[in-house]
Amino acid sequence: MEALLPYIWAGLLGLAVFIYIFLDGFDLGIGIMFPFANSDHDRDVMMTSVAPVWDGNETWLVLGGGGLFAVFPKAYAAMMPAVYMPIGFMLIALIFRGVAFEFRFSSTGILKRFWDQAFHWGSVVAAFSQGLILGALVQGIPLVDGRFQGGSFEWLTPFSFFTGCAVVWGYVLLGSTWLIMKTEGDLMAWSRKIAAFSTIIVIFCLIIVSLAVPLLDVAAADRWGIHYPEIDWQRMLPFVPIPLITVVLCWQLITSVFSKTTVLKPFLYSVGIFAMAYLGLVISFFPYIVPYSLTIEQAAASPDSQGILLVGAVILLPVILAYTAYIYWVFRGKVDMNAGYH
Amino acid sequence: MQESLDMLLLGRIQFAFVVSFHIIFPAFTIGLASYLAMLEGLWLKTNKDIYLILYRYWVKIFAISFGMGVVSGVVMSYQFGTNWSLFAEKTGNVLGPLLGYEVMTAFFLEASFLAIMLFGWNKVGRKLHFFSTCAVAVGTVISAFWILAANSWMHTPAGYEIRDGIFYTTSWSEVIFNPSFPYRFLHMVLAAYLTTAFVVVGTSALQILRGQQREAIVVMLKMGVLFIAIVAPLQLFIGHEHGINVHEHQPVKLAAMEGHWETHSGAPMIMFALPDQEAEKNHYELAVPKLGSLIVTHTLDGEIKGLKEWPASERPPVALVFWTFRIMVVLGMLMLLVAVWGIWLFWKGGLERQKNFLRLCVLMIPAGFLAVLSGWFTAEVGRQPYTVYGLLRTVDSVSPLTANSVGMSLIVFVFTYLIVFIAGIYYISKLIIDGPATQLGPISEMESKPRLSDRSSIGRQEV
Ligand code: HEM
Ligand code: HEM
């Protein structure tokens, strides 16, 4: 059991981060699309569609950060200074977009325009920074004696810039498919267009990242059995379902976006695509938690600490998932513009 | 070396700034959430409209404050890693699980049920709505429980052992219920309740002074004054016990709070002084003989150790601790004054007509916030030069960053928080000055379109 603890926790944290990505992903995506909507009324509907849930969604980010501190303190301590600036951008951006929900509701005229922009740019920068962090991780964080010794700008490379853009578009995909589910009429038609367009860009990004990861790191390439120009099919075979499922999901997504009757499926397929991409990254990183310097076992907190928190997690996480699901259920269906307290 | 010292100073300023900004909102929302739960409970029980009017009024203010609490809190949960990575690495085994439990038992509860509290009026029944308000209120207190356990452990560590410079726990119950935790937890929760009560009372007073003598406002004033009359004396008592606990476990902090350089038996109580860290003495001291010992040790000639018992490198910045402590205590006394005067007027009748009392209440609106901030400064600066008292120095806690990046991010944080704070104050003051609605309007001004829920809650149907 003790030997398994770090892996159980890596799994749970991985799950928490994934839940964060797809939940906050759609509400950030809505912020990114926000100024391009056709009317102020549409913008009101878009914001109202996520106003009840954004806070709960963001709590998964706190669980990701707090959880990393709790069960992999060495990874937390090594990683955070290495991505100090993008984390800072992300936090500041999240502040602006978070307060924009309340402030925008209470404003008119130029102030309302200001919080519109804060909501939009906050979402864009938060998404882009998360992409930068992802890019920095994929490229690996070199440590000396378990500590980060690099400069302030190691995270800034063409590749991380690219992953930044990729995450922005990925969130647009989630946001637009969420809107297909939550809205009607013109706004829904508009969302379908955005969804179709972002699907194409996301597919392109997936291809680029899938090709680049094995190029960037030998260990990751080896994991997939890729030794350009040769490929070790023995290694590759167990993982082949991942790209295959992704291709199927993309196809289904495109057809469902264009079908006039489906409302739920586009969102589910987008989440599916995110899940596959995430799984692909997990496979490339394993067993590292700070890519290619600190393994899950090396970074683990003492078994005692991981154990005491696991007891709580086993009981509490199902409860949290249950009431989160209940809340989404309460707010199911098309947006109700009459339910607020304002 | 110089570089890393600058970096340390900037890191401390940054942490102090972002956490001080954060605590302003919990100090208010912890109390307000409980107040809202009480209002809704009273409404359910008595069916009187005024409680619902008050609920609807305060819930708007709550939503803004809570939002600001959340976004500034998310920053906090990453600060430990970005700015105090060595601290995180060394204490992670002990503090990590406490923060993990905070997220799982409190943050999810608050954030999720907030959705129903704010947006669920037309979607769930009254009981479930009330349950959600209670869940949020309980969540805020649970959150305070865990974070204060973590913070108290840094002041009075217990239940740990150190191997290779890393802390490991030997007993979780000792870690959580460490010696200063019960005092700090009670003191902080009461502080939050007082802070809210003074905002509520001050708002009612303001409305009355502006000629708004409506029933809802008078009820709000009376409830608040009664509450303060109970809690302010309690806070004085707990604060006092807290001080005795500091004397026992962190004597050097107590010496700084009291401004004693020399060890005395029968120490005076210093009312005013300008402590001088270099010269190791006070200028312009004004003191009451023996009172210090009487308060702390309960005897006239009990011993209080002076700062000189410790080498200069072990002493916290005295003047800051000395003065922030005094600000808190003076504010506490003023709160007591409001309590006594208020109860007297209440008993005599005419609470809502005594103009001077009402003016004082308006002036006291920020009192809770100031007391909370000064209290935290006393406690945290008094712990210097350690992050974990006596065991881990602040110098050995800081991240290996450059002064440049910390300084830059500090500037950006200050700039951001300034904008957000000014905006927040603006929107909250607007609501406070507008005052509660005179009657129940529809839940939302926006187009109503009946759908989904046919259960009667308090939508248009009823009002
Ligand atoms: C919420 C109210 C709080 C306020 C206003 C506050 C205030 C401060 C201040 C002013 C400092 C700087 C002291 C100095 O460097 O001279 C500080 C340091 C620190 N505090 Fe707090 N604090 C609060 C709560 C907490 C909590 C709940 C924790 C941990 C669970 C915590 C952990 C720390 C750490 C790690 C440092 C940095 C190291 C140091 O300078 O000692 N604080 N805090
Ligand atoms: C009136 C008499 C009061 C006394 C004797 C008193 C005593 C104390 C003491 C001794 C500490 C320092 C604990 C430490 O250093 O670890 C403290 C901290 C603090 N005080 Fe007070 N206090 C009083 C009033 C208040 C009031 C009215 C408020 C707020 C409304 C308040 C809020 C705080 C806070 C937030 C802290 C920091 C957290 C903590 O250490 O508990 N205090 N108080």
Side-chain angles (χ1 to χ4, degrees):
Chain A
M1 181 65 190
E2 258 189 32
L4 271 182
L5 264 178
Y7 294 100
I8 296 175
W9 264 118
L12 281 177
L13 268 192
L15 185 65
V17 171
F18 179 69
I19 294 179
Y20 170 74
I21 291 171
F22 90 83
L23 287 182
D24 214 24
F26 75 72
D27 65 53
L28 286 166
I30 282 168
I32 300 168
M33 296 154 62
F34 201 63
F36 306 106
N38 291 323
S39 70
D40 235 22
H41 177 262
D42 282 359
R43 273 185 281 276
D44 289 341
V45 174
M46 286 164 78
M47 206 169 203
T48 308
S49 79
V50 291
V53 291
W54 73 270
D55 184 1
N57 295 349
E58 209 167 291
T59 307
W60 291 95
L61 179 67
V62 179
L63 183 62
L68 196 65
F69 176 37
V71 287
F72 298 106
K74 287 197 196 89
Y76 179 73
M79 220 140 79
M80 294 300 155
V83 286
Y84 188 77
M85 286 204 187
I87 291 261
F89 298 148
M90 175 184 83
L91 294 172
I92 302 262
L94 288 177
I95 291 174
F96 276 112
R97 78 178 290 277
V99 297
F101 280 96
E102 285 302 326
F103 293 173
R104 183 178 178 279
F105 271 123
S106 320
S107 308
T108 49
I110 186 160
L111 275 180
K112 185 164 183 171
R113 294 286 86 79
F114 178 82
W115 296 114
D116 276 349
Q117 293 301 319
F119 184 59
H120 170 63
W121 286 106
S123 307
V124 172
V125 172
F128 186 73
S129 318
Q130 289 173 4
L132 284 177
I133 295 166
L134 174 71
L137 287 179
V138 170
Q139 290 179 309
I141 293 174
L143 302 180
V144 182
D145 293 333
R147 284 180 191 158
F148 176 71
Q149 303 289 2
S152 309
F153 288 98
E154 316 262 289
W155 47 269
L156 187 61
T157 62
F159 179 72
S160 66
F161 188 83
F162 177 80
T163 50
C165 299
V167 168
V168 170
W169 278 102
Y171 286 175
V172 169
L173 175 61
L174 286 171
S176 54
T177 52
W178 166 262
L179 284 181
I180 294 177
M181 191 160 64
K182 301 300 278 188
T183 62
E184 298 160 302
D186 288 349
L187 185 52
M188 188 207 242
W190 178 73
S191 310
R192 284 190 194 273
K193 271 189 233 148
I194 306 258
F197 188 61
S198 52
T199 305
I200 295 166
I201 297 185
V202 166
I203 293 173
F204 168 76
C205 294
L206 283 178
I207 296 172
I208 301 277
V209 173
S210 310
L211 294 179
V213 170
L215 278 177
L216 283 168
D217 188 78
V218 188
D222 195 47
R223 167 75 25 71
W224 291 86
I226 298 172
H227 308 276
Y228 288 121
E230 265 136 68
I231 289 178
D232 178 352
W233 287 103
Q234 211 95 40
R235 276 273 171 94
M236 180 75 113
L237 211 57
F239 304 134
V240 167
I242 293 177
L244 282 185
I245 294 174
T246 312
V247 169
V248 173
L249 284 170
C250 289
W251 177 246
Q252 293 287 356
L253 175 62
I254 292 175
T255 51
S256 66
V257 163
F258 284 115
S259 127
K260 289 280 173 274
T261 47
T262 54
V263 287
L264 179 65
K265 279 183 188 158
F267 183 68
L268 295 182
Y269 289 132
S270 322
V271 173
I273 293 172
F274 264 78
M276 288 302 127
Y278 189 73
L279 203 61
L281 284 172
V282 168
I283 290 170
S284 312
F285 287 172
F286 190 84
Y288 291 104
I289 190 158
V290 179
Y292 324 109
S293 339
L294 208 57
T295 64
I296 290 172
E297 278 182 25
Q298 287 168 338
S302 80
D304 177 46
S305 304
Q306 289 201 330
I308 191 100
L309 199 59
L310 188 61
V311 176
V314 166
I315 301 166
L316 292 165
L317 283 181
V319 177
I320 291 168
L321 286 171
Y323 64 63
T324 304
Y326 169 72
I327 300 230
Y328 274 87
W329 173 249
V330 166
F331 291 96
R332 71 195 177 278
K334 302 296 178 190
V335 178
D336 178 358
M337 291 302 283
N338 195 29
Y341 56 97
H342 290 284
Chain B
M1 196 59 213
Q2 185 53 40
E3 161 81 349
S4 70
L5 278 181
D6 287 349
M7 143 75 219
L8 175 63
L9 187 64
L10 287 168
R12 285 168 62 183
I13 294 173
Q14 181 177 106
F15 192 90
F17 179 74
V18 292
V19 78
S20 299
F21 184 86
H22 175 58
I23 196 63
I24 292 173
F25 301 100
F28 185 43
T29 53
I30 293 172
L32 201 49
S34 299
Y35 182 55
L36 286 167
M38 190 185 68
L39 286 173
E40 195 174 3
L42 284 172
W43 176 61
L44 282 181
K45 206 160 157 239
T46 63
N47 242 327
K48 278 199 198 155
D49 279 354
I50 48 167
Y51 294 118
L52 187 59
I53 290 176
L54 288 179
Y55 183 96
R56 288 227 207 132
Y57 172 58
W58 285 106
V59 83
K60 291 183 198 161
I61 296 172
F62 179 75
I64 297 184
S65 319
F66 200 90
M68 292 171 79
V70 168
V71 293
S72 59
V74 174
V75 173
M76 293 316 305
S77 64
Y78 283 84
Q79 278 279 319
F80 291 129
T82 48
N83 288 35
W84 304 101
S85 68
L86 296 195
F87 169 81
E89 193 182 311
K90 290 167 186 167
T91 63
N93 283 330
V94 179
L95 297 183
L98 304 187
L99 300 189
Y101 269 101
E102 183 183 15
V103 183
M104 293 193 297
T105 56
F107 290 160
F108 277 112
L109 198 67
E110 295 171 67
S112 305
F113 284 97
L114 184 71
I116 294 190
M117 189 175 162
L118 299 184
F119 299 94
W121 277 118
N122 294 334
K123 309 226 171 228
V124 301
R126 291 179 176 198
K127 291 235 173 68
L128 214 92
H129 192 275
F130 177 53
F131 174 84
S132 307
T133 309
C134 292
V136 173
V138 170
T140 59
V141 176
I142 298 177
S143 157
F145 175 93
W146 291 111
I147 196 74
L148 293 174
N151 179 268
S152 297
W153 183 86
M154 293 163 58
H155 289 270
T156 51
Y160 65 90
E161 66 185 11
I162 303 177
R163 279 181 264 137
D164 298 329
I166 307 271
F167 289 88
Y168 293 86
T169 40
T170 53
S171 156
W172 285 103
S173 60
E174 280 176 40
V175 166
I176 296 170
F177 298 98
N178 60 75
S180 65
F181 171 66
Y183 302 98
R184 186 165 285 106
F185 178 60
L186 284 176
H187 196 56
M188 179 63 214
V189 171
L190 291 187
Y193 282 171
L194 276 175
T195 304
T196 309
F198 274 94
V199 176
V200 170
V201 164
T203 305
S204 345
L206 186 73
Q207 294 298 338
I208 296 173
L209 285 173
R210 293 173 75 228
Q212 301 270 339
Q213 275 271 10
R214 278 182 288 110
E215 191 195 357
I217 292 171
V218 176
V219 166
M220 182 157 88
L221 178 74
K222 288 188 174 162
M223 274 164 77
V225 167
L226 272 182
F227 184 80
I228 289 169
I230 300 167
V231 178
L234 206 59
Q235 179 73 323
L236 183 70
F237 172 72
I238 293 189
H240 169 72
E241 294 294 312
H242 199 357
I244 292 173
N245 184 267
V246 174
H247 180 224
E248 204 173 306
H249 294 278
Q250 297 175 292
V252 56
K253 187 198 276 180
L254 189 94
M257 279 156 56
E258 299 289 316
H260 293 314
W261 294 97
E262 313 290 342
T263 300
H264 299 272
S265 15
M269 166 88 204
I270 300 173
M271 297 298 194
F272 182 95
L274 296 180
D276 184 335
Q277 194 102 3
E278 312 268 272
E280 305 190 326
K281 64 178 192 139
N282 295 333
H283 303 290
Y284 310 107
E285 191 174 293
L286 194 76
V288 181
K290 306 246 185 233
L291 190 59
S293 284
L294 184 66
I295 290 177
V296 176
T297 66
H298 298 175
T299 56
L300 277 178
D301 44 24
E303 187 184 80
I304 297 185
K305 285 209 160 60
L307 287 155
K308 285 188 183 168
E309 299 272 336
W310 291 271
S313 64
E314 296 282 303
R315 298 176 203 153
V318 180
L320 195 53
V321 179
F322 178 87
W323 275 109
T324 51
F325 182 63
R326 265 151 198 70
I327 293 172
M328 170 180 64
V329 174
V330 166
L331 287 168
M333 296 301 172
L334 282 173
M335 291 177 182
L336 206 59
L337 174 74
V338 172
V340 174
W341 191 0
I343 277 297
W344 187 63
L345 288 174
F346 202 101
W347 180 64
K348 234 182 45 166
L351 179 68
E352 65 275 19
R353 284 184 298 275
Q354 171 44 269
K355 287 257 164 66
N356 284 331
F357 177 74
L358 296 176
R359 284 192 196 110
L360 176 64
C361 288
V362 175
L363 280 181
M364 288 290 278
I365 291 181
F369 299 99
L370 291 177
V372 164
L373 280 175
S374 358
W376 276 109
F377 270 75
T378 311
E380 301 285 308
V381 178
R383 187 187 61 216
Q384 299 305 315
Y386 292 99
T387 44
V388 181
Y389 186 63
L391 301 169
L392 178 63
R393 280 179 179 272
T394 310
V395 222
D396 304 319
S397 306
V398 70
S399 298
L401 295 164
T402 61
N404 268 341
S405 29
V406 183
M408 283 268 288
S409 68
L410 175 60
I411 293 171
V412 179
F413 271 116
V414 171
F415 189 67
T416 305
Y417 281 12
L418 225 59
I419 297 179
V420 168
F421 193 71
I422 292 172
I425 294 275
Y426 168 73
Y427 290 113
I428 291 178
S429 326
K430 219 166 66 167
L431 285 171
I432 285 191
I433 290 168
D434 284 352
T438 30
Q439 64 227 341
L440 286 172
I443 285 291
S444 165
E445 314 296 322
M446 293 179 217
E447 273 308 293
S448 122
K449 194 171 9 146
R451 51 171 318 285
L452 265 179
S453 113
D454 43 7
R455 259 173 298 181
S456 122
S457 55
I458 69 138
R460 281 176 182 242
Q461 312 91 308
E462 245 176 74
V463 264

